[in-house]
């Protein structure tokens, strides 16, 4: 992703897109608007700060962390996570309108790991979590069964769907990870409100 200009403020308001009626865990419809959690630059700031502090000792590690910080700034500025009436979707601002708060969101393209749209129905979720913890959300994880089963072993799916994982209570499915570049509080609220299943 391209970068360069100053990103928008941290405390952007949650964007309401349109009226919708999601199906919750109970199966009963609940009136709710589509929602886009506001961007959160904390992760980018942490990596950028750590990278700059460690540039000299050793410079290679510091440089890598700094580059990650820059990448997270660009992703936080451009990428948006959309909760509509039936699915969770990763969208993006157009490159020529990346700094506009009211830019029309577009498709983020095919999933780089297993192909297909970056859009998953709520009823296909079998688990989600913040890693390493909800208090320190660096990554957002979720597992779904919408992706064709023959692709579930791709990447970390080999371990997430192993016999050892199943013995510990895991549920089979396709795993996904993304950096926590949106408000974790709002992400959690939306996952729960949309009835996305979660292993206790």
């Amino acid at each position: 992703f391209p970068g360069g200009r100053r990103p928008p403020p941290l405390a952007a308001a949650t964007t309401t897109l349109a009226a919708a009626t999601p199906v919750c865990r109970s199966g009963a419809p609940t009136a709710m608007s589509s929602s886009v959690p506001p961007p959160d630059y904390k992760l980018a700031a942490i990596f950028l700060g750590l990278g700059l502090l460690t540039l000299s000792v050793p410079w290679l590690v510091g440089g890598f962390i700094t580059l990650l910080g820059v990448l997270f700034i660009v992703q936080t500025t451009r990428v948006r996570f959309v909760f509509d009436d039936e699915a969770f979707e990763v969208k993006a601002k157009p490159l020529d309108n990346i700094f506009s708060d009211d830019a029309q969101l577009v498709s983020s393209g095919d999933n780089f790991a297993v192909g297909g749209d970056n859009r998953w129905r709520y009823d296909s979720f079998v688990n989600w979590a913040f890693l390493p913890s909800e208090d320190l959300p660096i990554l957002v994880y979720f597992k779904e069964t919408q992706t064709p089963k023959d692709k579930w072993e791709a990447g970390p799916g080999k371990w997430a769907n192993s016999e050892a994982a199943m013995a510990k209570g895991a549920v089979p499915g396709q795993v996904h990870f993304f950096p926590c570049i949106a408000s974790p509080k709002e992400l959690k609220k939306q996952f729960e409100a949309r009835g996305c299943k979660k292993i206790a």
Side-chain angles (χ1 to χ4, degrees):
F1 301 106
R5 292 170 59 182
R6 185 177 179 181
L10 283 173
T14 300
T15 304
T16 299
L17 299 177
T21 306
V23 177
C24 293
R25 190 175 304 163
S26 64
T30 302
M32 187 180 299
S33 297
S34 292
S35 178
V36 180
D40 189 328
Y41 288 86
K42 293 187 186 76
L43 185 64
I46 290 171
F47 272 82
L48 191 59
L50 284 175
L52 293 174
L53 287 173
T54 57
L55 271 177
S56 57
V57 193
W59 69 267
L60 189 60
V61 174
F64 176 71
I65 295 175
T66 300
L67 287 176
L68 278 178
V70 172
L71 174 63
F72 289 150
I73 286 176
V74 175
Q75 287 186 315
T76 306
T77 302
R78 186 180 182 219
V79 177
R80 294 292 179 268
F81 304 109
V82 180
F83 293 83
D84 63 22
D85 60 334
E86 63 180 19
F88 168 69
E89 183 171 6
V90 181
K91 289 194 171 186
K93 293 181 179 181
L95 294 176
D96 59 355
N97 209 12
I98 191 172
F99 297 107
S100 172
D101 288 335
D102 57 357
Q104 181 70 38
L105 299 179
V106 298
S107 170
S108 58
D110 288 346
N111 186 275
F112 78 96
V114 295
D117 294 338
N118 286 309
R119 178 180 173 83
W120 303 274
R121 299 186 316 272
Y122 302 125
D123 60 9
S124 73
F125 276 59
V126 293
N127 196 19
W128 59 270
F130 294 98
L131 303 176
S133 70
E134 194 173 314
D135 294 327
L136 185 62
I138 295 177
L139 293 175
V140 181
Y141 150 86
F142 70 93
K143 184 185 274 190
E144 45 81 16
T145 57
Q146 177 178 300
T147 299
K149 191 173 182 179
D150 61 347
K151 298 181 179 179
W152 290 0
E153 300 297 314
K158 180 178 180 180
W159 296 277
N161 294 302
S162 66
E163 290 184 8
M166 297 300 109
K168 294 178 180 178
V171 178
Q174 174 64 46
V175 295
H176 301 271
F177 297 91
F178 59 85
C180 192
I181 55 176
S183 166
K185 181 178 180 180
E186 185 64 22
L187 285 169
K188 178 184 178 181
K189 175 183 176 181
Q190 292 300 324
F191 281 139
E192 292 178 339
R194 308 291 174 165
C196 299
K197 293 180 181 177
K198 178 177 174 61
I199 297 175

